[in-house]
Amino acid sequence: MRTAIVVGAGIGGVTAAVALEQCGWQVTVLERSAELGEVGAGISVWPGAAAVLEELGVEGVAKAARLGEAAGMRRWDGRWIVEAAELGIELPVMLHRAQLHQLITDRLGPAVTIHTGATVTGLTQDADGVTVTATRVGSGGAASGEAGAGGLEPGSAEYRAELVVAADGIRSGIRGLLAPEYQGPRYSGYTAYRGIAELEVEDSGGETWGRGQRFGFAKLIDGRIYWYATANREPGGADDDVKTLFANWHEPIPALLAATPNVLRNDIYDLPTPLLPFVHGRVLLLGDAAHAMTPNMGRGACSAIEDAGALARVLRAGKDLTAYDAERRPATTKLVKRSHQIGVLGQLDSKFACTLRDAVLSVGGKTAGLLAKRRKVEQSPV
């Protein structure tokens, strides 16, 4: 049986492990956290990623998710920039990140072993394979589904495999070992806040744009509300009271914040383009390690899932790994650039620039809605 090491057990990493196992590979997953799982709030699952999960046999996504409703865009005071009915689009399905991660790990089988508390510190490769060195903190091992468990004593260990998949995030240690000259993460200029409000509201959600601040929310299947917000800030700044930041914004925003027990804050970074090649010999970059993007399009985790799907197709077809790079790097480069541009537009702070932006978006949204409705009519059976 062919062997692979996956570094990182986030959504992208466990999806890659499922894909590799289904291609007949023996997989070892090295996760630096002490426990397996995902931290976060809501996540949008777009059709491309949903199709990959279905192909990999990941079950329960539809039951755990809520189909997105048409969402519009408002000003901070509640006035519509573009109403939902004018957009002519629907959101992807929404669910909690931890739920999605669990559904994927439930699909892992006996050919996958997961080690937690393992941080990769070295990597060498030759014509026959790759050797990975990992330091281990405490003793730990984790298994998901029927995956094998690996107990780890403190110290270091070497792992050997034919292929390494680096799914270790935006500050990827593997990427740093492969290309130390690459500048790494780029700060976007704003920080993000996320939470789950223990509150049911009639409002179907959408985004609200202000000056240097944004707020968006959507319903989860259990009726709670996933929300996110942004504000222009220096990186590593002091924590703000997000309730104060948005206290004067339209309802139900203040009510949602008041009903949120825990708020996550993260400074937002992405990887600058041109992106590094996704394949370096027998080492492959996946997810944020390859193409970290700002969350403005809600496509980061979905792109990692789609990476795993592309890897599976390449392996099943017996193609060279460079086919994975040829497919995924151009596609994700476009998403990184577009998402960065949306963030620049959304975080404008000048009153004049924001007024002009809102006017242009209003006209553009209505035009896009009319075109979408026209396409539906043209595609309808006679």
Side-chain angles (χ1 to χ4, degrees):
M1 182 178 287
R2 305 192 71 179
T3 57
I5 296 169
V6 176
V7 182
I11 286 174
V14 293
T15 308
V18 171
L20 285 162
E21 183 181 34
Q22 293 191 10
C23 290
W25 291 57
Q26 183 84 36
V27 186
T28 299
V29 181
L30 303 178
E31 167 56 40
R32 61 175 163 239
S33 298
E35 297 181 359
L36 188 66
E38 263 285 342
V39 177
I43 186 172
S44 51
V45 180
W46 294 82
V52 170
L53 294 174
E54 183 177 359
E55 183 179 343
L56 295 177
V58 176
E59 299 178 348
V61 174
K63 291 182 180 180
R66 179 187 179 94
L67 182 64
E69 301 176 38
M73 183 180 292
R74 286 172 271 201
R75 286 168 33 98
W76 68 273
D77 58 6
R79 284 189 289 168
W80 287 99
I81 298 173
V82 185
E83 292 193 55
E86 296 172 335
L87 285 171
I89 60 173
E90 288 187 339
L91 293 174
V93 296
M94 297 292 303
L95 70 163
H96 199 286
R97 291 185 71 94
Q99 285 181 295
L100 178 59
H101 188 270
Q102 186 62 56
L103 290 171
I104 298 169
T105 55
D106 285 346
R107 189 70 179 91
L108 294 172
V112 178
T113 300
I114 302 177
H115 295 302
T116 56
T119 300
V120 172
T121 56
L123 178 147
T124 58
Q125 57 179 316
D126 53 41
D128 299 319
V130 189
T131 300
V132 170
T133 304
T135 57
R136 305 172 304 199
V137 179
S139 62
S144 284
E146 297 180 357
L152 294 177
E153 296 299 327
S156 63
E158 288 188 347
Y159 301 86
R160 179 79 174 171
E162 297 174 62
L163 172 69
V164 168
V165 176
D168 52 342
I170 187 171
R171 301 188 186 280
S172 169
I174 298 290
R175 190 185 64 235
L177 293 171
L178 293 170
E181 75 284 356
Y182 184 63
Q183 72 177 80
R186 165 185 61 179
Y187 185 55
S188 66
Y190 51 94
T191 194
Y193 311 83
R194 293 171 292 154
I196 302 288
E198 307 285 347
L199 180 71
E200 295 191 27
V201 297
E202 295 299 321
D203 197 310
S204 61
E207 281 202 351
T208 300
W209 285 21
R211 293 176 55 186
Q213 295 179 202
R214 287 176 287 160
F215 194 99
F217 64 96
K219 293 182 180 180
L220 299 176
I221 196 168
D222 60 6
R224 295 182 301 166
I225 305 295
Y226 161 59
W227 62 263
Y228 55 90
T230 61
N232 291 345
R233 291 290 184 272
E234 292 296 320
D239 286 343
D240 298 298
D241 181 0
V242 69
K243 297 177 183 178
T244 301
L245 285 177
F246 296 91
N248 296 324
W249 286 40
H250 69 81
E251 289 294 348
I253 292 174
L256 293 176
L257 294 173
T260 302
N262 299 298
V263 176
L264 300 173
R265 175 184 172 174
N266 301 98
D267 290 337
I268 300 301
Y269 291 81
D270 66 1
L271 290 181
T273 56
L275 300 172
L276 287 173
F278 290 3
V279 176
H280 299 254
R282 291 177 175 270
V283 183
L284 178 149
L285 302 177
L286 181 144
D288 282 354
H291 49 69
M293 59 191 74
T294 58
N296 298 299
M297 299 178 66
R299 296 294 293 271
C302 286
S303 294
I305 292 170
E306 291 168 354
D307 289 348
L311 174 60
R313 289 192 298 274
V314 167
L315 295 177
R316 289 187 181 118
K319 296 180 180 179
D320 187 86
L321 288 177
T322 55
Y324 165 80
D325 179 75
E327 176 182 342
R328 295 304 298 156
R329 186 153 48 119
T332 53
T333 294
K334 292 178 182 178
L335 292 176
V336 169
K337 289 180 176 179
R338 194 175 306 161
S339 190
H340 182 79
Q341 291 165 354
I342 291 172
V344 171
L345 187 65
Q347 297 301 131
L348 289 174
D349 196 45
S350 159
K351 182 177 181 180
F352 173 77
C354 288
T355 300
L356 179 61
R357 174 197 68 191
D358 295 349
V360 171
L361 288 174
S362 177
V363 173
K366 292 175 182 177
T367 301
L370 289 173
L371 291 174
K373 291 176 182 177
R374 179 179 175 180
R375 284 195 297 270
K376 287 182 179 180
V377 171
E378 292 174 346
Q379 294 169 2
S380 298
V382 177

